[in-house]
């Protein structure tokens, strides 16, 4: 594996840029990383082990926050799913062989110049509008300068003092299982920038482990640079410090993911790094106005790790506060260690880094016209928040609303189903029940299943109309999801039609007598509420599936009688 | 201070006889009053190739011969294309012509390319150790255009490292000599290109001009130097020094050659977001043969002489030579007036802040990870520091330090931002002056070529030499430098150039005026004595 990768890197360099081989005999970067950061990380590891008890023993977060308040802000990097990189025509495919998607521009070769991909602006405007931001009609790119081997030009093209969008907000609904509730979090700014490359390192000659800029602490003797990701467009979304708990922060991040997916600007995949969250967190005693010392947490690869890392960090900081050791909370960047379920020091900040920003002279200013913005505004899809409010008005429970709106494709499926006239609650139940279970088992997305919203609508109508029973419906559904086809076709094919029952109790009786005389006779003989209720119950659990529409009516009727 | 401290001596006004000239040009230089004006080598080449009077191979051979003959003395080139490569291209052209196939407008034209412009088949070092042996995987847009139109790149010319310097002594590899006096600098940073065109080692050459790097060496070497409007020519493939100021420029031994070369390399490039989408006029249509000119061909043209460029610090001989050029323009019908640009002196400090700031950023990529000698270090910062310390020359280091300082937090407003404000003032003052005048005139440099080593240890004196040119870069305007006379020095006098500055994208006007000026300037030959005996074109 190691060898393959190494060879892959080299040969690709050979093939694309023979000259580079002359300049640097291998696309390899040698360096021993015994940096100071490495040491602090190790020390800190020991310290944390000594000081803070393992998570299991730590008190519940609600308990911890009795006298303290956490202040949380999140910086999110969203990788835009444009066909080509931000400033050149290279495509970006996650997981491609190292250095196979590079060109003089994203390699930062001498003489190469960036040219902005207009789709980046379009995506930024979409996200800006979706986050209710003010858009800058005239913004620009700046150079953020620092040295790192994954940054081929020695600067990152970014936006500094005039971001393309600012002063927005996002609405979220907390999950019901965490107590629910609606929140509004401020968005400080949204700006465009380019991604850096990736460092691949070898430990014991093993090339498989991938590190990013975060992993300073890994001591290694050989670093390889993969520039596939260099120049991939990013949006950095900075929130106001409006969040107070890990749940809020995780839900904020999840909402951003939904948003970029609804907008179709990013796949929002956290595992692949398409959506990366850095959390800033401080703790202060309740009632105190000024913020506590801010700590940044990186390496958060899922929403749940966002929540758990924050809860851990809150506990850690509150503990220090309550032990009178608040001065030990220092401004630093900490890494979330998923395995150990804790944060450890990555690097301490000594004052502000000076990135020597200045306007990027290779790119003209970014000018947006009102027409352009309006055009994009009008093309925006219904966003998660709007959908949630609409579903709520349809009478769905918040749990249903959150489930259905979580995935834009599921929401679209639901919308298309109810557009066929299907009952809203039944459609929601089918989707959240049998269909979701099937997708889960088969690891399929709603777009992968063969069932169409039209047929789900038909199925619901057929069951409601009494053509088939719910049990048969479930069978048909499985067939529809796996193989496709139509409800009508399947019913016919399998001869699943059940006797059509008249709707009125009186009229139906004589006809039904023929088929199920005894049950009917029993029903008609019932006199007390209690008897009717019991009868209905028996029908429901026992033979309801046989001729559902008819017996459901009887059942409901029995209930009504019982109630009166 | 800037003067070479010689007695002011007007060697020649356009109307005087040729006797003065005689003392500079011993024998084969024509001494009659009818010294022919410089012909366009590009047009001559095309004519003789298409009429089959000569072959591209013969032409290439004669240039390569001269190139190699003088190269040991001049060191204009950092890399010369192998004979067989050049001759093979020439042969292909000859075959095409033989078969009556179409050839490009620059077919057979031998071009020198400054070594900070990328060529895929030759090293492109930008004069720096850091890029020693670096071969780009692509051609700069200008080089691609040249090749597509039939030109043959004969080699890569010497320069001050990354274009930072005014003498070409800042090259990490060699010092180029001025063909007019081998003890003198050719100017810089495009000194190699200027020297090569002057010594007829190639027909035309490309340079780059960030603060005067085409115009000052053109003046020092007695050739035509054209700095186009910022955005006229694609910078894609030009190793960046100061991105907002860098322009690729043209050298020729005649205005027509510089204009045709500009036409070839101009135009929008989708690989350079700062390149203009404006249409490129056919500059060649401006080159009216002298016989067709009226007696006052430039009648009504308003020429503004920039007062601040004829003041202290400028050699009096240079001043008088340029004043003669102005008189010649007047004779051609121009209306001459003096204009004042009070912000002129602010240009130099503003330029050095902006150029250094941008260069400190542009040169960040040379970190020892991909180019140059990597100096192994215990940790990352020492790897960067040591690799850069070894790879960069002292002038480059100084500018990186200055630029880094100017962009640092707490200093940005006082330096970079203020310099940008000055830039706006300068741009506006030029615009005002050019609303009232068709062109503005100044010397191209405060002095003629000085001795090698003379200013090497006095960077401020060298920087001051850029006073004539940097403002034009700050304003992004086009400027044409033409040789207009000589002052005493060397064996045959040292050429003096004057600068004509035009409105943005008005290269056409500059070329038209320059062509008429050049064709009517009598008695001067700007072929250096070094090659005069072998140059008959």
């Amino acid at each position: 594996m190691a060898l393959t990768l190494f060879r892959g890197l080299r040969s690709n360099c050979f093939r694309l840029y023979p000259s580079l081989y002359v300049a640097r005999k291998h696309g390899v970067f040698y360096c021993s990383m015994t940096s100071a950061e490495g040491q602090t990380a190790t020390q800190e590891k020991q310290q944390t082990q000594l000081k803070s008890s393992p998570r299991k023993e730590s008190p519940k977060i609600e308990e911890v926050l009795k006298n303290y308040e956490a202040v949380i802000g999140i910086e999110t990097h969203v990788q835009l799913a444009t066909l080509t990189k931000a400033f050149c025509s290279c495509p970006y495919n996650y997981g491609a062989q190292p250095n196979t998607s590079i060109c003089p521009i994203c390699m930062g070769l001498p003489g190469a110049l960036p040219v902005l991909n207009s789709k980046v602006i379009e995506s930024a405007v979409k996200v800006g509008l979706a986050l209710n931001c003010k858009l800058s009609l005239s913004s620009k790119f700046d150079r953020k300068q620092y040295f790192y081997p994954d940054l081929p030009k020695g600067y990152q093209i970014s936006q500094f003092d005039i971001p393309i969008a600012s002063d927005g907000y996002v609405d979220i609904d907390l999950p019901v299982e965490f107590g629910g509730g609606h929140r509004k979090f401020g968005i400080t700014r949204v700006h465009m920038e380019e991604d850096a490359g990736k460092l691949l390192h070898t430990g014991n000659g093993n090339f498989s482990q991938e590190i990013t800029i975060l992993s300073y602490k890994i001591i290694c003797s050989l670093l390889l640079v993969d520039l596939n990701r260099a120049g991939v467009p990013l949006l950095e979304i900075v929130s106001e410090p409006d969040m107070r708990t890990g749940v809020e922060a995780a839900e904020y991040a999840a909402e951003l993911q939904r948003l970029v997916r609804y907008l179709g600007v990013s796949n929002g995949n956290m595992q692949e790094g398409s959506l990366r969250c850095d959390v800033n967190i401080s703790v202060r005693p309740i009632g105190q106005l000024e913020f506590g010392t801010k700590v940044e947490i990186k390496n958060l690869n899922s929403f749940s790790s966002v929540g758990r890392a924050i809860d851990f960090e809150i506990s850690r900081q509150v503990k220090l506060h309550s032990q009178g050791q608040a001065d030990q909370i220092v401004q630093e960047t900490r890494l979330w260690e998923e395995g150990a379920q804790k944060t450890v020091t990555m690097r301490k900040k000594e004052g502000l880094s000076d990135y020597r920003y200045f306007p990027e002279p290779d790119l003209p200013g970014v000018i947006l016209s009102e027409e352009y913005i309006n055009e994009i505004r009008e093309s925006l899809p219904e966003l998660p928040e709007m959908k949630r409010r609409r579903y709520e008005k349809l009478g769905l429970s918040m749990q249903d609303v959150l489930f259905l709106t979580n995935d834009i494709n599921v929401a679209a499926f639901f919308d298309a189903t109810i557009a066929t006239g299907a009952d809203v609650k039944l459609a929601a139940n089918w989707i959240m029940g049998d269909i979701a279970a099937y997708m889960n088992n088969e690891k399929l997305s709603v777009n992968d299943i063969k069932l169409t919203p039209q047929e789900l609508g038909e199925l619901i109508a057929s069951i409601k109309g009494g053509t088939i029973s719910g049990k048969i419906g479930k069978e048909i559904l499985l067939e529809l999801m796996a193989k496709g086809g139509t409800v009508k076709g399947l019913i016919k094919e399998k001869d699943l039609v059940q006797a059509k029952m008249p709707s009125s109790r009186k009229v139906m009786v004589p006809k039904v007598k023929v088929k199920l005389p005894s049950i009917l006779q029993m029903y008609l003989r019932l006199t007390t509420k209690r008897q009717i209720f019991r009868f209905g119950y028996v029908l429901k659990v026992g033979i309801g599936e046989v001729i559902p529409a008819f017996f459901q009516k009887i059942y409901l009727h029995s209930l009504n009688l019982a109630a009166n | 201070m800037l003067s070479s401290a010689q007695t002011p001596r007007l060697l020649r006004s356009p109307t005087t006889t040729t006797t003065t000239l005689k003392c500079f040009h011993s024998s084969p230089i024509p001494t009659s009053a009818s010294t022919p004006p410089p012909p366009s080598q590009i047009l001559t080449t095309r004519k003789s190739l298409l009429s089959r009077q000569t072959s591209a191979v013969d032409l290439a051979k004669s240039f390569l011969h001269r190139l190699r003959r003088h190269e040991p003395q001049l060191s204009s080139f950092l890399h010369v294309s192998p004979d067989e490569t050049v001759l093979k291209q020439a042969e292909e052209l000859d075959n095409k012509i033989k078969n009556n196939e179409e050839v490009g407008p620059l077919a057979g034209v031998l071009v020198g390319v400054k070594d900070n412009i990328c060529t895929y088949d030759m090293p492109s070092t930008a004069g720096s150790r850091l890029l020693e042996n670096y071969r780009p995987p692509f051609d700069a847009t200008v080089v691609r255009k040249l090749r597509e139109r039939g030109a043959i790149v004969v080699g890569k010319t010497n320069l001050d490292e990354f274009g930072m310097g005014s003498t070409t002594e800042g090259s990490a590899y060699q010092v180029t000599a001025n063909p007019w006096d081998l003890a003198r600098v050719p100017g810089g940073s495009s000194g190699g290109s200027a020297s090569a065109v002057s010594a007829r080692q190639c027909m035309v050459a490309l340079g780059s001009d960030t603060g005067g790097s085409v115009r000052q060496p053109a003046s020092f070497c007695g050739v035509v130097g054209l700095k186009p409007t910022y955005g006229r020519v694609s910078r894609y493939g030009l190793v960046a020094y100061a991105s907002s100021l860098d322009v690729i420029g043209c050298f020729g031994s005649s205005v027509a050659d510089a204009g045709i070369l500009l036409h070839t390399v101009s135009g929008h490039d989708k690989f350079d977001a700062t390149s203009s989408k404006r249409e490129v006029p056919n500059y060649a249509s401006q080159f009216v043969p002298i016989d067709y000119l009226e007696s006052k061909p430039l009648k009504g043209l308003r020429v503004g002489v920039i007062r601040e460029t004829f003041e202290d610090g400028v050699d009096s001989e240079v001043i008088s030579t340029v004043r003669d050029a102005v008189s010649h323009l007047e004779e051609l019908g121009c209306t001459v007036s003096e204009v004042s640009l009070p912000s002129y002196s602010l240009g130099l400090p503003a330029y050095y802040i902006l150029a250094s700031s941008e260069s400190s950023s542009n040169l960040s990529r040379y970190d020892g990870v991909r180019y140059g000698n990597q100096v192994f270090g215990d940790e990352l910062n020492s790897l960067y520091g040591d690799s850069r310390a070894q790879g960069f020359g002292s002038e480059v280091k100084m500018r990186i330090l200055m630029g880094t300082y100017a962009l640092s937090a707490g200093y940005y407003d006082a330096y970079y931002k203020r310099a940008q404000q000055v830039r706006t003032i300068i741009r506006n003052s030029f615009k005002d002056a050019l609303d009232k005048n068709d062109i503005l005139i100044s010397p191209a440099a405060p002095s003629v070529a000085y001795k090698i080593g003379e200013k090497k240890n006095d960077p401020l004196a060298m920087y001051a030499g850029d006073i004539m040119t940097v403002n034009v870069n700050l304003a992004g305007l086009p400027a044409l430098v033409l040789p207009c006379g000589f002052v005493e020095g060397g064996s045959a006098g040292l050429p003096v150039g004057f600068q004509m500055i035009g409105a943005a994208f008005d290269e056409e006007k500059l070329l038209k005026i320059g062509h008429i000026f050049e064709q009517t300037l009598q008695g001067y030959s700007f072929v250096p004595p070094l090659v005069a005996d072998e140059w008959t074109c």
Side-chain angles (χ1 to χ4, degrees):
Chain A
M1 165 68 197
L3 207 61
T4 327
L5 194 57
F6 185 63
R7 239 189 275 132
L9 188 72
R10 286 178 55 152
S11 63
N12 288 323
C13 279
F14 280 137
R15 186 162 52 80
L16 289 172
Y17 302 104
S19 59
L20 280 182
Y21 183 63
V22 182
R24 154 112 12 271
K25 292 213 171 48
H26 22 66
V28 187
F29 167 77
Y30 293 92
C31 147
S32 128
M33 298 282 281
T34 48
S35 61
E37 285 82 3
Q39 286 158 14
T40 42
T42 339
Q43 287 161 3
E44 181 64 26
K45 210 184 235 171
Q46 291 157 355
Q47 281 169 12
T48 29
Q49 272 167 359
L50 291 177
K51 274 187 221 153
S52 63
S53 47
R55 187 176 151 76
K56 279 174 217 156
E57 295 164 30
S58 64
K60 281 219 157 225
I61 197 73
E62 294 79 21
E63 198 72 14
V64 171
L65 281 172
K66 220 152 80 187
N67 301 314
Y68 293 91
E69 177 185 49
V71 177
I72 303 158
I74 299 187
E75 275 175 32
T76 311
H77 287 90
V78 177
Q79 217 171 50
L80 296 176
T82 47
L83 289 177
T84 56
K85 293 186 185 181
F87 303 110
C88 64
S89 54
C90 292
Y92 173 63
N93 296 311
Y94 177 80
Q97 276 289 304
N99 296 317
T100 52
S101 197
I102 52 173
C103 73
I105 299 167
C106 52
M107 292 170 79
L109 292 190
L113 296 171
V115 175
L116 179 63
N117 176 351
S118 61
K119 287 281 172 197
V120 176
I121 298 197
E122 193 183 311
S123 302
V125 171
K126 279 182 180 171
V127 170
L129 289 172
L131 291 171
N132 310 293
C133 288
K134 290 188 194 106
L135 292 172
S136 306
L137 294 182
S138 171
S139 66
K140 65 185 168 76
F141 283 98
D142 300 278
R143 291 184 181 175
K144 178 182 182 176
Q145 311 192 65
Y146 61 91
F147 287 101
Y148 204 68
D150 65 4
L151 193 68
K153 297 189 294 293
Y155 56 84
Q156 178 194 32
I157 302 178
S158 180
Q159 292 194 293
F160 177 48
D161 49 346
I162 313 175
I164 189 160
S166 55
D167 292 329
Y169 61 85
V170 60
D171 287 288
I172 65 153
D173 288 285
L174 292 177
V176 181
E177 60 269 31
F178 292 106
H182 185 263
R183 299 281 189 281
K184 187 180 281 242
F185 298 132
I187 301 291
T188 313
R189 57 184 280 160
V190 178
H191 74 248
M192 305 176 276
E193 60 185 30
E194 58 177 340
D195 213 339
K198 271 183 190 169
L199 299 186
L200 309 164
H201 85 121
T202 75
N204 319 318
N206 180 359
F207 285 72
S208 64
Q209 195 178 356
E210 178 187 287
I211 64 160
T212 64
I213 189 165
L214 315 176
S215 309
Y216 268 93
K217 64 196 187 71
I218 298 171
I219 295 167
C220 59
S221 54
L222 176 62
L223 277 180
L224 302 176
V225 185
D226 171 13
L227 292 179
N228 278 351
R229 202 178 66 177
V232 170
L234 296 178
L235 288 185
E236 182 175 321
I237 303 170
V238 182
S239 84
E240 290 287 305
D242 288 351
M243 287 149 262
R244 294 293 174 264
T245 64
V247 172
E248 287 184 354
E251 195 50 35
Y252 164 83
E255 180 69 5
L256 287 190
Q257 184 190 57
R258 276 191 285 277
L259 212 104
V260 295
R261 286 180 174 173
Y262 269 54
L263 294 170
V265 298
S266 169
N267 70 24
N269 190 323
M270 281 188 98
Q271 280 72 43
E272 292 178 8
S274 310
L275 188 119
R276 312 197 274 271
C277 292
D278 300 337
V279 169
N280 281 301
I281 172 167
S282 65
V283 161
R284 62 181 170 190
I286 286 174
Q288 181 181 306
L289 279 181
E290 60 269 27
F291 293 146
T293 305
K294 184 174 75 175
V295 166
E296 186 178 13
I297 313 175
K298 284 178 179 280
N299 199 30
L300 301 167
N301 295 321
S302 66
F303 299 132
S304 70
S305 65
V306 169
R308 279 178 282 121
I310 288 175
D311 286 351
F312 173 86
E313 190 58 24
I314 291 175
S315 304
R316 187 185 73 90
Q317 291 188 24
V318 165
K319 194 166 184 188
L320 288 171
H321 268 286
S322 54
Q323 289 170 348
Q325 296 177 313
D327 57 340
Q328 293 204 10
I329 303 170
V330 292
Q331 197 172 342
E332 61 178 345
T333 302
R334 298 177 70 88
L335 277 187
W336 171 245
E337 288 196 340
E338 193 67 52
Q341 291 286 302
K342 65 180 185 187
T343 65
V344 295
T345 295
M346 178 178 133
R347 57 168 179 245
K348 303 216 193 267
K349 283 194 179 165
E350 290 156 7
L352 281 173
S353 318
D354 186 356
Y355 290 115
R356 288 175 286 113
Y357 281 101
F358 80 105
E360 165 60 276
D362 287 331
L363 291 167
V366 179
I367 310 293
L368 305 176
S369 70
E370 292 284 359
E371 289 93 332
Y372 177 78
I373 295 171
N374 287 334
E375 216 171 275
I376 291 180
R377 197 194 307 272
E378 274 154 32
S379 75
L380 288 183
E382 186 183 32
L383 296 168
E385 171 66 9
M386 291 142 84
K387 243 188 217 319
R388 286 196 294 265
R389 298 288 80 85
R390 181 162 64 83
Y391 287 179
E392 222 179 1
K393 277 189 193 141
L394 290 176
L396 293 173
S397 71
M398 185 46 74
Q399 192 139 13
D400 294 3
V401 168
L402 292 181
F403 181 93
L404 291 170
T405 52
N406 188 49
D407 179 338
I408 186 174
N409 296 319
V410 170
F413 192 92
F414 172 73
D415 280 336
T417 306
I418 60 173
T420 66
D423 181 90
V424 171
K425 183 65 193 166
L426 289 176
N429 287 348
W430 278 106
I431 292 171
M432 293 169 60
D434 294 63
I435 297 176
Y438 177 79
M439 294 194 308
N440 252 342
N441 286 338
E442 305 290 318
K443 306 246 180 319
L444 292 173
S445 84
V446 73
N447 292 344
D448 300 329
I449 59 172
K450 301 270 169 40
L451 173 75
T452 64
Q454 287 68 34
E455 291 312 310
L456 178 60
E458 183 70 31
L459 186 75
I460 292 168
S462 301
I463 297 168
K464 204 175 181 185
T467 313
I468 50 170
S469 68
K471 194 165 189 178
I472 299 286
K474 281 175 189 246
E475 279 168 30
I476 292 181
L477 184 76
L478 274 176
E479 190 101 7
L480 289 171
M481 289 192 290
K483 295 179 188 151
T486 63
V487 175
K488 282 196 175 111
L490 283 174
I491 291 174
K492 208 169 176 185
E493 191 183 304
K494 307 205 166 187
D495 197 15
L496 296 170
V497 187
Q498 62 187 351
K500 192 93 179 157
M501 288 300 135
S503 52
S504 134
R505 188 179 170 208
K506 276 182 184 169
V507 183
M508 77 192 169
V509 174
K511 289 188 182 174
V512 177
K513 255 183 192 169
V514 187
K515 286 202 170 179
L516 290 161
S518 54
I519 298 173
L520 272 169
Q521 289 310 317
M522 277 169 67
Y523 175 62
L524 293 172
R525 276 199 306 271
L526 300 175
T527 48
T528 67
K529 282 180 194 175
R530 192 179 163 78
Q531 281 173 327
I532 292 171
F533 180 81
R534 279 175 129 181
F535 180 80
Y537 182 77
V538 170
L539 284 180
K540 185 183 174 238
V541 297
I543 51 176
E545 70 216 39
V546 182
I547 35 176
F550 170 55
F551 278 104
Q552 197 176 17
K553 280 192 182 99
I554 294 176
Y555 166 62
L556 288 174
H557 186 75
S558 65
L559 280 184
N560 284 339
L561 286 180
N564 296 331
Chain B
M1 177 183 93
L2 296 166
S3 146
S4 54
Q6 282 152 352
T7 334
R9 184 178 160 206
L10 177 61
L11 291 166
R12 188 160 168 71
S13 82
T15 46
T16 50
T17 58
T18 54
T19 41
T20 0
L21 193 70
K22 208 173 176 178
C23 69
F24 294 120
H25 296 287
S26 50
S27 61
I29 299 286
T31 53
S32 75
S34 61
T35 302
S40 160
Q41 292 188 54
I42 295 177
L43 295 177
T44 312
T45 300
R46 184 165 184 79
K47 210 170 134 192
S48 56
L49 285 183
L50 293 184
S51 64
R52 292 157 170 80
Q53 277 176 319
T54 181
S55 71
V57 169
D58 287 346
L59 209 55
K61 275 183 180 162
S62 82
F63 268 89
L64 284 174
H65 175 74
R66 191 165 40 247
L67 189 158
R68 295 206 185 282
R69 186 176 157 203
H70 297 298
E71 192 52 18
Q73 289 167 289
L74 292 175
S75 304
S76 320
F77 286 88
L78 286 175
H79 180 86
V80 180
S81 193
D83 282 12
E84 53 274 22
T85 313
V86 172
L87 295 178
K88 197 177 151 230
Q89 291 175 64
E91 211 177 306
E92 279 167 19
L93 286 170
D94 282 337
N95 286 334
K96 278 189 178 174
I97 292 168
K98 210 159 87 188
N99 300 330
N100 286 319
E101 285 173 53
E102 205 165 316
V103 290
L106 259 63
V109 172
L110 299 149
V111 189
V113 174
K114 191 176 179 181
D115 203 37
N116 60 352
I117 299 174
C118 290
T119 46
Y120 82 92
D121 56 349
M122 283 178 239
S124 302
T125 68
S128 178
R129 283 277 168 228
L130 253 161
L131 289 176
E132 195 166 7
N133 296 324
Y134 171 69
R135 279 172 188 264
F138 63 99
D139 264 343
T141 299
V142 287
V143 174
R144 177 177 58 76
K145 286 187 169 189
L146 283 176
R147 294 195 210 262
E148 281 170 6
R149 284 156 183 77
I152 301 170
V153 179
V154 287
K156 305 299 292 290
T157 57
N158 196 22
L159 70 160
D160 290 296
E161 185 175 3
F162 289 109
M164 299 178 185
S166 311
T167 62
T168 315
E169 294 164 287
S171 165
Y173 301 97
Q174 61 197 33
V175 174
T176 299
N178 189 319
W180 291 89
D181 178 353
L182 297 175
R184 289 177 191 266
V185 299
S189 64
S190 313
S193 289
S195 167
V197 170
S198 172
R200 273 59 178 173
Q201 292 179 299
C202 55
M203 294 182 194
V204 289
L206 290 178
S208 68
D209 191 317
T210 306
S213 288
V214 162
R215 290 160 290 159
Q216 182 252 26
S219 175
F220 279 17
C221 293
V223 295
V224 177
L226 174 58
K227 177 231 173 265
T229 312
Y230 184 81
R232 174 83 295 174
V233 180
S234 166
R235 291 185 292 120
Y236 190 77
L238 169 67
V239 177
Y241 160 20
S243 311
S244 75
L245 301 160
D246 291 342
V247 193
I248 290 178
C250 307
F251 288 98
S253 57
S254 65
V255 173
D257 281 349
I260 295 167
L261 184 61
L262 175 67
H263 185 252
T264 307
V265 298
S266 286
H268 177 67
D269 179 10
K270 63 175 181 174
F271 290 111
D272 177 3
T274 62
S275 68
S276 168
K277 287 189 173 144
R278 268 174 189 253
E279 211 180 304
V280 182
N282 185 6
Y283 302 123
S285 66
Q286 298 300 318
F287 307 131
V288 183
I290 190 164
D291 305 337
Y292 292 90
L293 293 177
E294 322 154 22
S295 62
K296 300 265 182 208
L298 298 177
K299 202 171 167 196
L301 205 87
R302 298 159 304 166
V303 172
V305 176
I306 304 172
R307 183 193 300 152
E308 287 78 8
T309 63
F310 289 82
E311 287 177 349
D312 293 349
V314 185
D315 274 14
S316 50
E317 300 147 286
V318 170
I319 289 183
S320 57
T321 311
V322 176
R323 289 230 182 264
D324 287 342
V326 174
S327 312
H328 181 58
L329 283 172
E330 231 167 348
E331 279 169 33
L332 291 168
C334 296
T335 317
V336 176
S337 62
E338 199 167 73
V339 296
S340 174
L341 298 174
S343 57
Y344 209 85
S345 62
L346 300 176
L348 207 56
Y351 167 81
Y352 273 98
I353 286 170
L354 295 177
S356 301
S357 297
E358 291 186 22
S359 69
S360 74
S361 173
N362 283 328
L363 271 54
S364 299
R365 70 191 63 192
Y366 309 109
D367 54 7
V369 176
R370 277 145 299 141
Y371 326 93
N373 282 322
Q374 190 174 78
V375 182
F376 298 88
D378 288 344
E379 45 109 20
L380 212 46
N381 279 337
S382 67
L383 180 145
Y384 289 140
D386 296 348
S387 301
R388 284 163 72 83
Q390 271 195 12
F392 288 133
S394 59
E395 180 64 34
V396 173
K397 282 180 201 159
M398 182 157 69
R399 295 197 194 191
I400 290 175
L401 284 173
M402 286 200 299
T404 305
Y405 183 83
L407 288 177
S408 294
Y411 298 98
Y412 181 88
D413 286 356
Y415 294 103
Y416 184 84
K417 202 172 166 190
R418 181 169 285 195
Q420 284 289 25
Q421 289 162 347
V422 169
R423 187 175 186 174
T424 306
I425 293 171
I426 288 171
R427 192 179 282 146
N428 292 340
S429 70
F430 264 108
K431 199 180 173 305
D432 289 347
L434 283 163
D435 282 344
K436 299 186 189 92
N437 295 279
D438 291 290
I439 58 165
L440 302 176
I441 291 212
S442 80
S447 72
V448 290
Y450 39 86
K451 291 269 170 61
I452 289 171
E454 192 178 322
K455 296 189 181 175
K456 207 173 176 193
N457 297 316
D458 190 357
L460 284 181
M462 191 179 76
Y463 293 178
D466 298 337
I467 181 76
M468 299 296 164
T469 45
V470 291
N471 281 281
V472 178
N473 295 80
L474 290 171
L477 300 174
L480 180 67
V481 163
L482 284 181
C484 61
F486 293 91
V487 303
E488 196 173 288
S491 63
L494 297 168
V496 176
F498 79 108
Q499 171 174 241
M500 297 193 288
I501 304 160
F505 296 99
D506 205 2
E507 286 85 358
E508 215 173 348
K509 193 182 281 165
L510 292 177
L511 289 164
K512 178 186 170 185
I513 301 167
H515 178 70
I516 293 172
F517 178 93
E518 162 198 271
Q519 297 298 310
T520 53
L521 182 71
Q522 295 195 353
Y524 290 121
S525 170
F526 293 100
V527 181
L530 186 72
V531 292
D533 57 334
E534 57 195 288
W535 182 253
T536 50
C537 192

